Amino acid sequence: YDGGKLVSSDNTLWSDWGYFYPDQNEVFFKDSVKVHNPKYTMFSDTMKYHTVTEVVSILGPTFIVSDSNLVYSEDGYYNTQTDFSQLRRKSYIQGKTQVLYGDTINYDRPKGIGEVFGHMELKDSINQVIIKGNYGLYNELTKSALATKKALMQQIYNGDTLHLHADSLRMDSLPDIGAKVIRAYRKVRFFRSDIQG
């Protein structure tokens, strides 16, 4: 009731108070929860930890901070053994120049892949590009993305915005020239204040 710590393999967990249920191999943490792993640190209001599977259940506002990105969610789980997470409420993954939002995000940290179901939005602050869709994929290692199901790209340029609609959009990096290319597939429409097609 006045602060405690649990050590399990590579994970060390602290919280102001909590409960341990030995029959279920579960620990319930509440208030100022912190999980330290050599690869990341988690900060949360409320979470549950399974001592056998080492899966963290996210039950409230939670930040996962690593050298490569920041992950936020209010519901979901994180498998500390496989570094796979499913984020289900108000979730996003923020990298150095991109932020990925979605209703549900399946995030595979070792592969750098985020798969998004429902209201996918990828914001690229360097290129002033926003890609949206109801399903999408983003690879943070190759900086490539795919959006489909009502796909939309918006590029802000000189105070104006180019809107590009298509069945599917694909974005790939061209590292040799430091640029990105966006390909649009089927039923492509675009417009800006000075051009449309």
Side-chain angles (χ1 to χ4, degrees), residues 163-184:
H163 300 268
L164 180 105
H165 297 267
D167 283 353
S168 300
L169 294 171
R170 179 177 159 183
M171 178 178 74
D172 292 297
S173 292
L174 303 175
D176 297 341
I177 59 173
K180 294 189 192 296
V181 61
I182 296 181
R183 297 176 177 92

PDB file of all heavy atoms in Angstrom, residues 163-184:
ATOM      1  N   HIS A 163      -5.044  17.698 -52.121  1.00  0.00           N
ATOM      2  CA  HIS A 163      -5.808  16.538 -51.648  1.00  0.00           C
ATOM      3  C   HIS A 163      -5.775  15.487 -52.753  1.00  0.00           C
ATOM      4  O   HIS A 163      -6.125  15.777 -53.895  1.00  0.00           O
ATOM      5  CB  HIS A 163      -7.262  16.926 -51.366  1.00  0.00           C
ATOM      6  CG  HIS A 163      -7.399  17.987 -50.330  1.00  0.00           C
ATOM      7  ND1 HIS A 163      -7.565  17.713 -48.997  1.00  0.00           N
ATOM      8  CD2 HIS A 163      -7.388  19.341 -50.432  1.00  0.00           C
ATOM      9  CE1 HIS A 163      -7.658  18.839 -48.312  1.00  0.00           C
ATOM     10  NE2 HIS A 163      -7.547  19.845 -49.167  1.00  0.00           N
ATOM     11  N   LEU A 164      -5.387  14.254 -52.404  1.00  0.00           N
ATOM     12  CA  LEU A 164      -5.306  13.171 -53.371  1.00  0.00           C
ATOM     13  C   LEU A 164      -6.061  11.969 -52.813  1.00  0.00           C
ATOM     14  O   LEU A 164      -5.731  11.468 -51.745  1.00  0.00           O
ATOM     15  CB  LEU A 164      -3.848  12.789 -53.629  1.00  0.00           C
ATOM     16  CG  LEU A 164      -3.659  11.657 -54.618  1.00  0.00           C
ATOM     17  CD1 LEU A 164      -3.172  12.216 -55.944  1.00  0.00           C
ATOM     18  CD2 LEU A 164      -2.668  10.644 -54.100  1.00  0.00           C
ATOM     19  N   HIS A 165      -7.115  11.532 -53.528  1.00  0.00           N
ATOM     20  CA  HIS A 165      -7.937  10.384 -53.136  1.00  0.00           C
ATOM     21  C   HIS A 165      -7.644   9.221 -54.072  1.00  0.00           C
ATOM     22  O   HIS A 165      -7.406   9.419 -55.253  1.00  0.00           O
ATOM     23  CB  HIS A 165      -9.428  10.711 -53.260  1.00  0.00           C
ATOM     24  CG  HIS A 165      -9.889  11.799 -52.356  1.00  0.00           C
ATOM     25  ND1 HIS A 165     -10.410  11.551 -51.116  1.00  0.00           N
ATOM     26  CD2 HIS A 165      -9.886  13.148 -52.510  1.00  0.00           C
ATOM     27  CE1 HIS A 165     -10.726  12.707 -50.544  1.00  0.00           C
ATOM     28  NE2 HIS A 165     -10.417  13.685 -51.372  1.00  0.00           N
ATOM     29  N   ALA A 166      -7.693   7.995 -53.538  1.00  0.00           N
ATOM     30  CA  ALA A 166      -7.531   6.790 -54.356  1.00  0.00           C
ATOM     31  C   ALA A 166      -8.017   5.592 -53.550  1.00  0.00           C
ATOM     32  O   ALA A 166      -8.242   5.688 -52.349  1.00  0.00           O
ATOM     33  CB  ALA A 166      -6.065   6.599 -54.747  1.00  0.00           C
ATOM     34  N   ASP A 167      -8.172   4.453 -54.244  1.00  0.00           N
ATOM     35  CA  ASP A 167      -8.499   3.221 -53.524  1.00  0.00           C
ATOM     36  C   ASP A 167      -7.372   2.863 -52.559  1.00  0.00           C
ATOM     37  O   ASP A 167      -7.614   2.444 -51.436  1.00  0.00           O
ATOM     38  CB  ASP A 167      -8.730   2.067 -54.498  1.00  0.00           C
ATOM     39  CG  ASP A 167     -10.091   2.155 -55.176  1.00  0.00           C
ATOM     40  OD1 ASP A 167     -10.898   3.023 -54.786  1.00  0.00           O
ATOM     41  OD2 ASP A 167     -10.330   1.365 -56.102  1.00  0.00           O
ATOM     42  N   SER A 168      -6.130   3.013 -53.032  1.00  0.00           N
ATOM     43  CA  SER A 168      -4.963   2.687 -52.207  1.00  0.00           C
ATOM     44  C   SER A 168      -3.852   3.691 -52.461  1.00  0.00           C
ATOM     45  O   SER A 168      -3.686   4.176 -53.583  1.00  0.00           O
ATOM     46  CB  SER A 168      -4.431   1.287 -52.516  1.00  0.00           C
ATOM     47  OG  SER A 168      -5.417   0.314 -52.261  1.00  0.00           O
ATOM     48  N   LEU A 169      -3.095   3.988 -51.427  1.00  0.00           N
ATOM     49  CA  LEU A 169      -1.925   4.855 -51.526  1.00  0.00           C
ATOM     50  C   LEU A 169      -0.723   4.114 -50.956  1.00  0.00           C
ATOM     51  O   LEU A 169      -0.841   3.413 -49.948  1.00  0.00           O
ATOM     52  CB  LEU A 169      -2.127   6.146 -50.735  1.00  0.00           C
ATOM     53  CG  LEU A 169      -3.203   7.099 -51.225  1.00  0.00           C
ATOM     54  CD1 LEU A 169      -3.429   8.210 -50.200  1.00  0.00           C
ATOM     55  CD2 LEU A 169      -2.810   7.699 -52.567  1.00  0.00           C
ATOM     56  N   ARG A 170       0.405   4.309 -51.611  1.00  0.00           N
ATOM     57  CA  ARG A 170       1.642   3.698 -51.134  1.00  0.00           C
ATOM     58  C   ARG A 170       2.734   4.754 -51.105  1.00  0.00           C
ATOM     59  O   ARG A 170       2.920   5.483 -52.078  1.00  0.00           O
ATOM     60  CB  ARG A 170       2.041   2.553 -52.055  1.00  0.00           C
ATOM     61  CG  ARG A 170       3.326   1.882 -51.653  1.00  0.00           C
ATOM     62  CD  ARG A 170       3.631   0.726 -52.559  1.00  0.00           C
ATOM     63  NE  ARG A 170       5.045   0.409 -52.488  1.00  0.00           N
ATOM     64  CZ  ARG A 170       5.639  -0.520 -53.215  1.00  0.00           C
ATOM     65  NH1 ARG A 170       4.935  -1.200 -54.078  1.00  0.00           N
ATOM     66  NH2 ARG A 170       6.914  -0.748 -53.078  1.00  0.00           N
ATOM     67  N   MET A 171       3.460   4.851 -49.981  1.00  0.00           N
ATOM     68  CA  MET A 171       4.555   5.810 -49.845  1.00  0.00           C
ATOM     69  C   MET A 171       5.849   5.042 -49.619  1.00  0.00           C
ATOM     70  O   MET A 171       5.920   4.164 -48.767  1.00  0.00           O
ATOM     71  CB  MET A 171       4.302   6.752 -48.671  1.00  0.00           C
ATOM     72  CG  MET A 171       5.422   7.749 -48.442  1.00  0.00           C
ATOM     73  SD  MET A 171       5.089   8.900 -47.090  1.00  0.00           S
ATOM     74  CE  MET A 171       5.330   7.837 -45.664  1.00  0.00           C
ATOM     75  N   ASP A 172       6.877   5.383 -50.413  1.00  0.00           N
ATOM     76  CA  ASP A 172       8.192   4.758 -50.265  1.00  0.00           C
ATOM     77  C   ASP A 172       9.258   5.839 -50.185  1.00  0.00           C
ATOM     78  O   ASP A 172       9.143   6.894 -50.816  1.00  0.00           O
ATOM     79  CB  ASP A 172       8.493   3.836 -51.457  1.00  0.00           C
ATOM     80  CG  ASP A 172       7.589   2.620 -51.474  1.00  0.00           C
ATOM     81  OD1 ASP A 172       7.652   1.828 -50.528  1.00  0.00           O
ATOM     82  OD2 ASP A 172       6.807   2.486 -52.441  1.00  0.00           O
ATOM     83  N   SER A 173      10.306   5.557 -49.416  1.00  0.00           N
ATOM     84  CA  SER A 173      11.429   6.482 -49.304  1.00  0.00           C
ATOM     85  C   SER A 173      12.418   6.229 -50.425  1.00  0.00           C
ATOM     86  O   SER A 173      12.613   5.092 -50.852  1.00  0.00           O
ATOM     87  CB  SER A 173      12.146   6.313 -47.965  1.00  0.00           C
ATOM     88  OG  SER A 173      11.334   6.739 -46.917  1.00  0.00           O
ATOM     89  N   LEU A 174      13.029   7.303 -50.890  1.00  0.00           N
ATOM     90  CA  LEU A 174      14.122   7.222 -51.865  1.00  0.00           C
ATOM     91  C   LEU A 174      15.368   7.772 -51.170  1.00  0.00           C
ATOM     92  O   LEU A 174      15.687   8.952 -51.288  1.00  0.00           O
ATOM     93  CB  LEU A 174      13.793   8.037 -53.115  1.00  0.00           C
ATOM     94  CG  LEU A 174      12.500   7.659 -53.838  1.00  0.00           C
ATOM     95  CD1 LEU A 174      12.218   8.613 -54.968  1.00  0.00           C
ATOM     96  CD2 LEU A 174      12.571   6.225 -54.347  1.00  0.00           C
ATOM     97  N   PRO A 175      16.070   6.929 -50.400  1.00  0.00           N
ATOM     98  CA  PRO A 175      17.177   7.429 -49.575  1.00  0.00           C
ATOM     99  C   PRO A 175      18.312   8.045 -50.373  1.00  0.00           C
ATOM    100  O   PRO A 175      19.022   8.915 -49.880  1.00  0.00           O
ATOM    101  CB  PRO A 175      17.642   6.198 -48.799  1.00  0.00           C
ATOM    102  CG  PRO A 175      17.057   5.023 -49.493  1.00  0.00           C
ATOM    103  CD  PRO A 175      15.866   5.500 -50.249  1.00  0.00           C
ATOM    104  N   ASP A 176      18.494   7.612 -51.638  1.00  0.00           N
ATOM    105  CA  ASP A 176      19.593   8.153 -52.445  1.00  0.00           C
ATOM    106  C   ASP A 176      19.451   9.649 -52.680  1.00  0.00           C
ATOM    107  O   ASP A 176      20.447  10.370 -52.750  1.00  0.00           O
ATOM    108  CB  ASP A 176      19.667   7.434 -53.802  1.00  0.00           C
ATOM    109  CG  ASP A 176      19.971   5.954 -53.632  1.00  0.00           C
ATOM    110  OD1 ASP A 176      20.475   5.580 -52.549  1.00  0.00           O
ATOM    111  OD2 ASP A 176      19.707   5.185 -54.558  1.00  0.00           O
ATOM    112  N   ILE A 177      18.188  10.108 -52.813  1.00  0.00           N
ATOM    113  CA  ILE A 177      17.980  11.535 -53.068  1.00  0.00           C
ATOM    114  C   ILE A 177      17.260  12.225 -51.908  1.00  0.00           C
ATOM    115  O   ILE A 177      16.937  13.404 -51.985  1.00  0.00           O
ATOM    116  CB  ILE A 177      17.196  11.757 -54.381  1.00  0.00           C
ATOM    117  CG1 ILE A 177      15.842  11.065 -54.323  1.00  0.00           C
ATOM    118  CG2 ILE A 177      17.999  11.261 -55.568  1.00  0.00           C
ATOM    119  CD1 ILE A 177      14.953  11.371 -55.506  1.00  0.00           C
ATOM    120  N   GLY A 178      17.029  11.490 -50.836  1.00  0.00           N
ATOM    121  CA  GLY A 178      16.411  12.085 -49.646  1.00  0.00           C
ATOM    122  C   GLY A 178      14.990  12.548 -49.871  1.00  0.00           C
ATOM    123  O   GLY A 178      14.583  13.600 -49.379  1.00  0.00           O
ATOM    124  N   ALA A 179      14.214  11.773 -50.620  1.00  0.00           N
ATOM    125  CA  ALA A 179      12.833  12.159 -50.921  1.00  0.00           C
ATOM    126  C   ALA A 179      11.916  10.951 -50.735  1.00  0.00           C
ATOM    127  O   ALA A 179      12.368   9.841 -50.464  1.00  0.00           O
ATOM    128  CB  ALA A 179      12.734  12.687 -52.349  1.00  0.00           C
ATOM    129  N   LYS A 180      10.608  11.207 -50.885  1.00  0.00           N
ATOM    130  CA  LYS A 180       9.610  10.144 -50.833  1.00  0.00           C
ATOM    131  C   LYS A 180       8.784  10.189 -52.112  1.00  0.00           C
ATOM    132  O   LYS A 180       8.598  11.251 -52.693  1.00  0.00           O
ATOM    133  CB  LYS A 180       8.689  10.329 -49.629  1.00  0.00           C
ATOM    134  CG  LYS A 180       9.396  10.164 -48.292  1.00  0.00           C
ATOM    135  CD  LYS A 180       8.385  10.155 -47.182  1.00  0.00           C
ATOM    136  CE  LYS A 180       8.978  10.271 -45.826  1.00  0.00           C
ATOM    137  NZ  LYS A 180       9.814   9.254 -45.352  1.00  0.00           N
ATOM    138  N   VAL A 181       8.294   9.032 -52.523  1.00  0.00           N
ATOM    139  CA  VAL A 181       7.397   8.956 -53.667  1.00  0.00           C
ATOM    140  C   VAL A 181       6.091   8.346 -53.175  1.00  0.00           C
ATOM    141  O   VAL A 181       6.097   7.406 -52.387  1.00  0.00           O
ATOM    142  CB  VAL A 181       8.012   8.137 -54.836  1.00  0.00           C
ATOM    143  CG1 VAL A 181       8.294   6.712 -54.414  1.00  0.00           C
ATOM    144  CG2 VAL A 181       7.100   8.159 -56.047  1.00  0.00           C
ATOM    145  N   ILE A 182       4.978   8.921 -53.632  1.00  0.00           N
ATOM    146  CA  ILE A 182       3.664   8.395 -53.272  1.00  0.00           C
ATOM    147  C   ILE A 182       2.985   7.918 -54.542  1.00  0.00           C
ATOM    148  O   ILE A 182       2.864   8.666 -55.513  1.00  0.00           O
ATOM    149  CB  ILE A 182       2.820   9.459 -52.552  1.00  0.00           C
ATOM    150  CG1 ILE A 182       3.498   9.811 -51.233  1.00  0.00           C
ATOM    151  CG2 ILE A 182       1.399   8.957 -52.327  1.00  0.00           C
ATOM    152  CD1 ILE A 182       2.793  10.814 -50.395  1.00  0.00           C
ATOM    153  N   ARG A 183       2.538   6.653 -54.507  1.00  0.00           N
ATOM    154  CA  ARG A 183       1.850   6.066 -55.650  1.00  0.00           C
ATOM    155  C   ARG A 183       0.379   5.907 -55.288  1.00  0.00           C
ATOM    156  O   ARG A 183       0.055   5.466 -54.177  1.00  0.00           O
ATOM    157  CB  ARG A 183       2.464   4.706 -55.992  1.00  0.00           C
ATOM    158  CG  ARG A 183       3.912   4.778 -56.424  1.00  0.00           C
ATOM    159  CD  ARG A 183       4.470   3.366 -56.648  1.00  0.00           C
ATOM    160  NE  ARG A 183       5.836   3.409 -57.124  1.00  0.00           N
ATOM    161  CZ  ARG A 183       6.907   3.368 -56.341  1.00  0.00           C
ATOM    162  NH1 ARG A 183       6.770   3.302 -55.034  1.00  0.00           N
ATOM    163  NH2 ARG A 183       8.117   3.397 -56.858  1.00  0.00           N
ATOM    164  N   ALA A 184      -0.499   6.249 -56.220  1.00  0.00           N
ATOM    165  CA  ALA A 184      -1.947   6.135 -56.012  1.00  0.00           C
ATOM    166  C   ALA A 184      -2.487   5.110 -56.999  1.00  0.00           C
ATOM    167  O   ALA A 184      -2.124   5.131 -58.179  1.00  0.00           O
ATOM    168  CB  ALA A 184      -2.611   7.481 -56.229  1.00  0.00           C
TER     169      ALA A 184
END
